[in-house]
Amino acid sequence: MKKLLTLFCFLCLSVVAASAQDQQPGSRQTLDEQYGFRGARFESSVTSYKGLALAENGGATRFYRRPTDVKTMGEGELSSIRYGFYKGRLAMVILETRGLTNSRAVLAALVAQYGPGTQNNPYQQRFAWSGKDVTMSYDENAGSNDATIFISSKKLRAMQLKEQSKAGVKLSGAPL
């Protein structure tokens, strides 16, 4: 009976610890809870943002900058922050860094906030985080150590890829 009670207590503590770990700030769950970047929520309309400056026009996706953005993350400096609106709704955010010091400092901030990402090759500074609704990737150039971070809504990205695929079928007669 004593062993059974000890086992039961151990299982209860394991469940509580696992639950607490899922709720900690350094988890992928945080990606889904934020569902965007610094208050800019995925799927929100471009008209809900004041002071955006058009940076690029890529057909159905337009990229904007917010001149008021603070370009730091953790101890690192961001060289660029762009917000991608697909058909007028926020679908992705692209962050860029310059140099080893800034890139690694931003990576450290990402790991602190979202937990360790998946790294398929230990010789490349490429990491991925995947929540239920949001994906994020960090890709560092081996030569310059500049990095690009993509944060995107899975739902809008799937819509975009589906529509691009349909357009490819209509234009060429064969799927992409």
Short mmCIF file of all heavy atoms in Angstrom, two decimals, residues 13 20 51 106 115 157 167:
data_model
loop_
_atom_site.label_atom_id
_atom_site.label_comp_id
_atom_site.label_asym_id
_atom_site.label_seq_id
_atom_site.Cartn_x
_atom_site.Cartn_y
_atom_site.Cartn_z
N LEU A 13 2.84 14.37 -9.15
CA LEU A 13 3.87 15.40 -9.27
C LEU A 13 4.35 15.52 -10.71
O LEU A 13 4.61 16.62 -11.20
CB LEU A 13 5.04 15.10 -8.34
CG LEU A 13 4.79 15.35 -6.86
CD1 LEU A 13 5.97 14.86 -6.04
CD2 LEU A 13 4.54 16.82 -6.61
N ALA A 20 2.94 22.57 -15.61
CA ALA A 20 3.61 23.83 -15.33
C ALA A 20 4.61 24.17 -16.41
O ALA A 20 4.75 25.32 -16.81
CB ALA A 20 4.31 23.76 -13.98
N GLY A 51 0.04 54.45 -39.38
CA GLY A 51 1.41 54.83 -39.65
C GLY A 51 2.27 53.79 -40.34
O GLY A 51 3.50 53.88 -40.27
N VAL A 106 19.78 37.81 -30.47
CA VAL A 106 18.36 37.65 -30.81
C VAL A 106 17.97 36.18 -30.69
O VAL A 106 16.90 35.86 -30.16
CB VAL A 106 18.05 38.22 -32.22
CG1 VAL A 106 16.67 37.81 -32.69
CG2 VAL A 106 18.17 39.75 -32.19
N GLY A 115 11.54 28.70 -25.93
CA GLY A 115 12.16 27.41 -25.69
C GLY A 115 13.12 27.08 -26.82
O GLY A 115 13.21 27.80 -27.82
N ARG A 157 -0.83 31.04 -44.16
CA ARG A 157 0.21 30.49 -45.04
C ARG A 157 -0.36 29.34 -45.88
O ARG A 157 -0.08 29.24 -47.08
CB ARG A 157 1.40 30.01 -44.21
CG ARG A 157 2.54 29.51 -45.05
CD ARG A 157 3.21 30.63 -45.81
NE ARG A 157 4.31 30.07 -46.58
CZ ARG A 157 4.65 30.48 -47.78
NH1 ARG A 157 4.03 31.48 -48.34
NH2 ARG A 157 5.65 29.92 -48.41
N ALA A 167 -3.34 28.72 -58.89
CA ALA A 167 -2.92 29.62 -59.96
C ALA A 167 -1.94 28.92 -60.88
O ALA A 167 -1.98 29.09 -62.10
CB ALA A 167 -2.29 30.89 -59.38
#
